[in-house]
């Protein structure tokens, strides 16, 4: 006589493992894009130190950060473009990945509360899940005239414009980087260059090495401007993909752009 069937089903390790994988919740990972200004003495902070400053800032804000994997996890904080030492930025970009969901206004308030000198939070946006990392399209700069009180000679404006035109008509230029010559295609790098009250410069992004604003000054015969008080400001970081929204849950913008030395906690 055969034994009755057991009431306990046989164990299937494969099935159990699959069930565990299905039921295990994926860690939350939400990306936020922050626009900020870097001005005043903070412009003398290197990009590496700026990244460290942001790490300290988000930890002081008590945010639940999404961390990288591996033996030495780090918070997922990314910049689409580094800002060179000594250059101010009026509309810089940093992206944070968080392991918690916060509304854009709440994250704005937490970051803005830190009140870091020279760092002004301009906007916070919660990005769509398929946004991917920010990719740079172009950058815009304003270069002020040198200061006569710092020994600057009178500017020959016609000569500056003539040198600009000669530079723009060149097919390529070569500059020295780390004691090695590097050649750049001018038309691919420089989108526009004009001289009025100040020099206005628009530069295309590239996966390879790019010209710097100081290179451009050298190439148009204005290499002494910085030594005589000229200042370079990156006025805009233009990305390839933006995600327009007016939903206050997803976008918080400072009511006004603070002037140098001013600050505001108000957001839309």
């Amino acid at each position: 006589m055969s034994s009755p069937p057991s009431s306990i089903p046989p164990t299937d390790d494969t099935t159990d493992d699959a069930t565990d994988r299905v039921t295990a919740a994926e860690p939350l990972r939400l990306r936020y894009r922050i626009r900020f200004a870097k001005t005043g003495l903070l412009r003398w902070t290197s990009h590496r130190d700026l990244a460290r400053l942001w790490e300290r800032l988000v930890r002081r804000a008590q945010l639940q950060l999404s961390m990288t994997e591996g033996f030495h996890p780090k918070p997922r904080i990314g910049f689409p473009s580094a800002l060179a030492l000594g250059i101010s930025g009026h509309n810089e970009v940093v992206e944070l990945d968080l392991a918690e969901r916060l509304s854009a206004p709440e994250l704005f308030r937490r970051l803005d509360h830190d009140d870091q000198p020279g760092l002004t939070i301009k906007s916070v946006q919660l990005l769509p899940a398929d946004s991917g990392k920010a990719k740079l399209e172009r950058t815009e700069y304003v270069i002020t005239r040198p200061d006569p009180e710092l020994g600057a000679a009178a500017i020959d404006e016609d000569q500056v414009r003539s040198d600009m035109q000669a530079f723009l008509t060149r097919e390529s230029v070569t500059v020295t980087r780390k004691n090695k010559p590097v050649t750049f295609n001018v038309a691919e790098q420089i989108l526009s260059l004009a001289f009025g009250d100040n020099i206005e410069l628009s530069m295309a992004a590239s996966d390879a090495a790019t010209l710097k604003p100081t290179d451009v000054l050298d190439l148009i015969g204005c290499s002494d401007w910085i030594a005589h008080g000229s200042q370079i400001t990156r006025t805009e970081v233009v990305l390839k993909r933006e995600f327009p929204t007016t939903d206050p849950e997803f976008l918080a913008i400072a009511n006004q752009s603070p002037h140098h030395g001013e600050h505001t906690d108000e957001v839309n």
Side-chain angles (χ1 to χ4, degrees):
M1 182 175 179
S2 61
S3 302
S6 171
S7 61
I8 301 176
T11 301
D12 186 336
D13 291 339
T14 302
T15 302
D16 289 347
D17 290 344
T19 302
D20 289 343
R21 287 196 297 270
V22 171
T23 57
E26 289 292 331
L28 191 62
R29 182 176 171 184
L30 299 173
R31 177 160 294 159
Y32 294 80
R33 180 175 294 169
I34 295 101
R35 291 271 184 176
F36 67 98
K38 176 190 176 187
T39 58
L41 294 178
L42 195 62
R43 68 189 176 97
W44 296 110
T45 300
S46 69
H47 178 69
R48 179 175 294 182
D49 286 339
L50 179 67
R52 290 171 178 164
L53 182 152
W54 269 99
E55 287 191 26
R56 292 193 298 269
L57 190 156
V58 298
R59 292 186 189 281
R60 286 195 297 268
Q62 298 183 336
L63 302 175
Q64 295 180 32
L65 302 167
S66 175
M67 308 295 288
T68 60
E69 299 177 355
F71 292 106
H72 302 286
K74 295 183 179 180
R76 288 188 169 97
I77 302 175
F79 301 81
S81 177
L83 189 61
L85 185 72
I87 298 181
S88 299
H90 284 178
N91 204 20
E92 297 298 295
V93 176
V94 62
E95 292 189 340
L96 312 176
D97 284 8
L98 299 186
E100 62 177 327
R101 183 184 180 91
L102 298 176
S103 69
E106 173 61 20
L107 180 55
F108 188 110
R109 280 188 285 271
R110 290 203 198 182
L111 296 174
D112 195 53
H113 182 73
D114 194 82
D115 202 20
Q116 178 70 38
L119 183 70
T120 303
I121 307 299
K122 304 190 75 173
S123 69
V124 171
Q125 183 176 7
L126 172 56
L127 299 179
D130 61 348
S131 61
K133 292 184 179 180
K135 293 184 179 181
L136 186 66
E137 181 173 289
R138 71 178 190 275
T139 50
E140 312 282 348
Y141 296 87
V142 168
I143 306 172
T144 63
R145 295 176 179 233
D147 188 346
E149 294 185 2
L150 296 178
I155 297 174
D156 185 338
E157 297 187 6
D158 291 336
Q159 185 63 53
V160 172
R161 293 188 179 95
S162 176
D163 290 341
M164 279 185 175
Q165 187 58 36
F167 165 64
L168 292 173
T169 56
R170 294 174 66 177
E171 181 177 348
S172 64
V173 294
T174 300
V175 301
T176 301
R177 294 279 169 79
K178 297 181 179 179
N179 298 318
K180 294 182 180 180
V182 182
T183 300
F184 301 93
N185 182 291
V186 174
E188 291 178 356
Q189 298 264 322
I190 307 300
L191 299 176
S192 65
L193 179 63
F195 182 42
D197 293 336
N198 302 295
I199 291 177
E200 297 184 4
L201 171 65
S202 178
M203 306 184 72
S206 173
D207 293 332
T210 58
L211 284 168
K212 301 175 182 178
T214 48
D215 295 328
V216 175
L217 285 177
D218 293 342
L219 291 163
I220 62 174
C222 300
S223 56
D224 63 335
W225 278 30
I226 298 299
H228 291 112
S230 176
Q231 293 192 17
I232 303 174
T233 299
R234 186 155 74 178
T235 57
E236 193 65 51
V237 172
V238 181
L239 304 177
K240 290 184 178 180
R241 291 186 70 192
E242 295 286 357
F243 304 91
T245 180
T246 57
D247 190 331
E249 174 73 14
F250 296 95
L251 179 65
I253 303 175
N255 280 338
Q256 60 184 13
S257 299
H259 299 290
H260 178 66
E262 295 182 348
H263 194 71
T264 178
D265 290 327
E266 297 181 22
V267 296
N268 287 329

